[in-house]
Amino acid sequence: MSAIVASDLDRTLIYSAAALDLAMPDAEAPRLLCVETYERKPQSYMTETAAGLLAELAGNTFFVPATTRTREQYGRIHLPGPAPEFAICANGGHLLVRGESDLAWQRAVAARIAARCAPLDEVRAHLIRSADPAWLLKERVAEDLFVYLVVERSLLSRTWVQDLTGWADERGWTVSLQARKLYAVPKPLTKSAAVAEVARRTGGSGFLAAGDSLLDADLLLAADHGWRPGHGELADSRWHAPHVTALGERGVAAGEEILRAFIRGAADLDRAC
């Protein structure tokens, strides 16, 4: 059986123009492939080298995109290589099987959240009530599962985020700050739980993962081996685990290195089986 390779997308494998972090002179910059458009404008990129690596990886493993994006947002992305049989959206709230959300998985997730977490409406109301209009730009509910704010990061109070994190934790929710987005997500809503379901259905031989944010920590901890880039929420907090490699590369260069590591790691898992 092939290895399962589950990876976050944004700022792990694909990058907005603002997140590319191209430190080299313009003449030495890598060629880029646009993998997402939004409102008829280019939105996300990989290097052409990364695109080739991903196509190779997806042809030889169970490659599973694992994103906090909604299904609609995920649908804008066109990754190189064969279409994944499985994909994880809404941080584990939706398990897509050949592009369609699995209804049995939806029901199981909803039951776990209802049993362990404060209602979405309560959390959303607290966020809106306590947020400062000086830094709050937008408020959104994703898939009726979690809520996120778009903020002016330079004006956001660190104390407010810390207080919110404690308040949410007592009610079974997790808070994650990623670039200009602040997420409040029910604790049972995890990428790792959805990957475990993929493993159950496929009998995959081992599990590799990558991600850059606090919402990817459970995914990395559940993997046989994981990688995090040199940027992002996990790098900023110096998060680590014995089997997770902290890469030095940042930006789109980290995406390339993660894919190389996936290919090597998948080959190692196959030899061990």
Side-chain angles (χ1 to χ4, degrees), residues 71 93-95 97 100-110 201:
R71 287 170 291 174
H94 287 278
L95 177 60
V97 183
E100 298 294 327
S101 185
D102 188 274
L103 293 179
W105 180 252
Q106 286 185 43
R107 288 192 290 268
V109 169
R201 297 186 187 194

Side-chain angles (χ1 to χ4, degrees), residues 239-258:
W239 183 93
H240 66 278
H243 64 289
V244 176
T245 300
L247 299 174
E249 290 84 357
R250 298 172 56 87
V252 73
E256 278 191 17
E257 188 53 38
I258 287 168

Side-chain angles (χ1 to χ4, degrees), residues 78-269:
H78 300 282
L79 296 172
E85 182 177 358
F86 297 94
I88 295 163
C89 292
N91 211 63
H94 287 278
L95 177 60
L96 305 190
V97 183
R98 292 178 289 278
E100 298 294 327
S101 185
D102 188 274
L103 293 179
W105 180 252
Q106 286 185 43
R107 288 192 290 268
V109 169
R112 287 198 295 269
I113 293 173
R116 296 173 50 189
C117 305
L120 172 65
D121 288 346
E122 177 184 338
V123 175
R124 181 188 183 194
H126 179 80
L127 283 172
I128 295 172
R129 184 171 58 251
S130 62
D132 188 336
W135 48 254
L136 177 61
L137 303 178
K138 297 178 184 177
E139 176 267 334
R140 295 287 187 271
V141 172
E143 302 271 21
D144 291 324
L145 289 167
F146 62 90
V147 61
Y148 65 92
L149 308 180
V150 180
V151 303
E152 182 58 59
R153 183 72 178 261
S154 63
L155 301 178
L156 183 64
S157 164
R158 182 182 296 272
T159 300
W160 184 86
V161 176
Q162 292 172 343
D163 291 345
L164 175 65
T165 300
W167 182 92
D169 182 66
E170 294 174 355
R171 290 158 178 81
W173 287 65
T174 295
V175 171
S176 174
L177 180 60
Q178 304 175 36
R180 297 198 310 151
K181 290 184 178 179
L182 183 140
Y183 294 87
V185 178
K187 289 183 179 180
L189 195 64
T190 65
K191 297 177 182 181
S192 61
V195 172
E197 177 64 12
V198 172
R200 186 187 69 81
R201 297 186 187 194
T202 63
S205 60
F207 163 32
L208 306 174
D212 71 299
S213 81
L214 179 63
L215 294 178
D216 298 311
D218 71 282
L219 183 68
L220 293 170
L221 289 172
D224 293 291
H225 199 102
W227 292 265
R228 66 163 175 83
H231 60 260
E233 194 178 24
L234 295 179
D236 291 346
S237 64
R238 299 184 180 180
W239 183 93
H240 66 278
H243 64 289
V244 176
T245 300
L247 299 174
E249 290 84 357
R250 298 172 56 87
V252 73
E256 278 191 17
E257 188 53 38
I258 287 168
L259 287 163
R260 292 189 185 97
F262 276 154
I263 291 170
R264 294 192 299 267
D268 290 343
L269 285 176

Side-chain angles (χ1 to χ4, degrees), residues 40-70:
R40 301 178 179 86
K41 297 178 182 178
Q43 185 76 8
S44 297
Y45 304 85
M46 309 176 74
T47 67
E48 287 189 346
T49 298
L53 292 168
L54 179 55
E56 176 185 348
L57 178 74
N60 294 292
T61 66
F62 287 115
F63 173 66
V64 182
T67 180
T68 304
R69 286 180 177 231
T70 64

